[in-house]
Amino acid sequence: MQRNYKTKLLPLKHEKDLLTLVENRSVYTMQHCELNVFETHKQSEKVKLVFDDMVLTSMLRGKKVMHLFGTETFDYLPGESVIVPEHEEMVIDFPDANGENPTQCIALALQSDILQDTMHLLNEKYPKTEKADSWKIDLSCFHLQNTYEIASTVDRLLSISTENISAKDVLVDFTLKELLIRLMQTQARQLILDSYHKHTNTNRFAYVVEFIKAHIHEEITIDKLSGLCCMSKPNFFRCFKREFGISPVDFVIHERIKAAKKLLKDINITISQASYAVGINNLSYFFKLFKRVEGITPNEFRKNLVANY
């Protein structure tokens, strides 16, 4: 839905400090997690890695090719994260790694108790809108583009973990819980976006997503969306943002920009036409929203398409 956000880069090890050129590992151990920073400075393939706990990995530099679950193979790039269950073997290729272009990745191994505590807190205090649903890490949605919220939380976690500060474990635990919540919200949003048509009869937010996509060229109000859910406007707004980590207003904006991007790939469609086609009738406002969501203007988006063609 959004562009992916890259986390801040960590300093690379000096060559003389590397113990190995392939997945050189630096470890920072806290009470409920272990932060591993891996660097690879040499092209290599079929490097195997296993953790005893569930791991959140995030790419900082370079490119990996990941092989997971026996059947999943994909490029792994900066601005992305991958969730790997405990005892699952990762097989990793480094097709482009060298001294001038190393890869760098973090792997955050999480003890099960902090994950269970966070899920229990959410399910007890902030249950999902649909009674049959519950908060959980869903491994069917294991490869994620970082949202701004995930990237900024990872940045704070890296800063706390790698600095010599007092009360480090307490600060890390608070940040870990926030990160887990952000991950679950992002997964919930992505799962609905990927398969909303399958759940319109059982999930009211899936029904809302279907309506937004079908009426993206029209005015869409919170009154209308809350009515579709048979909820008051304040309750709808609160529940939607709690479950997906984004307000319904911002969700509609992101869907409009996503639809506009598809139209802009057609060189026969003008920027004005794309703007009007997704329900934004003020061109300067369209430029403002596009820049806010994508980080670039519609003109720059088109130039990048031509450059990459």
Side-chain angles (χ1 to χ4, degrees):
M1 186 177 64
Q2 294 171 287
R3 75 183 192 273
N4 54 342
Y5 290 84
K6 299 177 183 179
T7 54
K8 294 178 182 177
L9 297 177
L10 292 174
L12 290 165
K13 290 279 188 181
H14 294 293
E15 187 174 348
K16 62 182 178 62
D17 296 325
L18 295 171
L19 300 178
T20 175
L21 294 178
V22 179
E23 290 294 69
N24 185 84
R25 181 182 183 188
S26 302
V27 183
Y28 304 87
T29 303
M30 276 70 66
Q31 184 175 1
H32 293 111
C33 69
E34 178 185 85
L35 174 65
N36 301 268
V37 182
F38 291 99
E39 293 180 25
T40 295
H41 294 247
K42 178 183 177 182
Q43 185 179 13
S44 50
E45 61 182 23
K46 296 182 180 179
V47 178
K48 297 180 179 180
L49 191 62
V50 179
F51 285 87
D52 292 332
D53 297 305
M54 189 191 82
V55 177
L56 169 68
T57 72
S58 283
M59 278 296 287
L60 305 184
R61 306 173 191 260
K63 170 187 171 180
K64 294 181 180 182
V65 178
M66 293 283 285
H67 308 275
L68 275 179
F69 308 118
T71 59
E72 299 287 345
T73 297
F74 54 92
D75 290 348
Y76 191 12
L77 303 170
E80 300 175 354
S81 293
V82 171
I83 302 169
V84 184
E86 63 273 15
H87 308 304
E88 178 66 33
E89 183 178 67
M90 295 174 261
V91 182
I92 311 167
D93 301 332
F94 303 87
D96 305 323
N98 56 52
E100 299 299 318
N101 183 37
T103 68
Q104 188 181 51
C105 181
I106 65 165
L108 185 66
L110 300 161
Q111 291 184 6
S112 61
D113 54 352
I114 195 161
L115 175 59
Q116 296 300 324
D117 287 350
T118 305
M119 289 191 297
H120 177 75
L121 172 66
L122 288 175
N123 286 319
E124 182 72 21
K125 300 292 186 182
Y126 309 101
K128 287 206 166 187
T129 305
E130 305 300 342
K131 295 185 183 300
D133 203 359
S134 62
W135 289 102
K136 60 184 179 296
I137 296 291
D138 192 328
L139 292 174
S140 70
C141 185
F142 62 88
H143 186 195
L144 303 169
Q145 286 192 336
N146 289 344
T147 61
Y148 170 78
E149 292 79 14
I150 289 176
S152 61
T153 309
V154 170
D155 284 344
R156 280 189 279 114
L157 191 60
L158 290 175
S159 177
I160 296 168
S161 300
T162 56
E163 292 181 8
N164 185 20
I165 55 178
S166 60
K168 177 184 288 190
D169 283 328
V170 175
L171 293 172
V172 165
D173 281 359
F174 283 139
T175 312
L176 276 178
K177 288 183 177 181
E178 179 185 351
L179 178 58
L180 288 168
I181 292 169
R182 300 290 191 189
L183 283 171
M184 285 187 276
Q185 289 174 327
T186 300
Q187 284 188 319
R189 188 165 72 238
Q190 192 59 52
L191 287 165
I192 287 293
L193 277 170
D194 288 345
S195 57
Y196 62 90
H197 54 284
K198 297 179 182 178
H199 305 289
T200 53
N201 293 326
T202 58
N203 187 300
R204 67 193 77 188
F205 292 141
Y207 183 46
V208 163
V209 169
E210 182 181 58
F211 177 87
I212 291 170
K213 287 181 174 290
H215 297 82
I216 199 67
H217 57 289
E218 303 173 7
E219 180 183 5
I220 300 174
T221 66
I222 298 301
D223 284 330
K224 177 64 176 180
L225 298 181
S226 60
L228 293 174
C229 288
C230 301
M231 301 169 72
S232 69
K233 187 162 69 171
N235 193 39
F236 167 75
F237 199 97
R238 181 172 58 253
C239 290
F240 190 100
K241 187 169 184 178
R242 183 174 68 204
E243 293 204 16
F244 298 136
I246 185 173
S247 74
V249 173
D250 283 337
F251 183 89
V252 171
I253 289 171
H254 280 85
E255 286 300 299
R256 293 194 195 279
I257 299 304
K258 183 164 68 173
K261 285 168 60 182
K262 291 181 179 179
L263 294 171
L264 290 172
K265 292 178 181 179
D266 184 345
I267 60 173
N268 295 314
I269 296 177
T270 68
I271 292 175
S272 296
Q273 288 171 330
S275 175
Y276 297 146
V278 299
I280 303 174
N281 298 324
N282 183 311
L283 191 58
S284 63
Y285 185 54
F286 175 70
F287 268 75
K288 179 180 178 181
L289 293 179
F290 198 101
K291 180 72 179 287
R292 191 179 94 190
V293 173
E294 294 297 320
I296 56 177
T297 67
N299 287 326
E300 290 168 332
F301 175 78
R302 273 211 153 144
K303 287 179 182 178
N304 290 342
L305 288 176
V306 173
N308 294 326
Y309 183 71

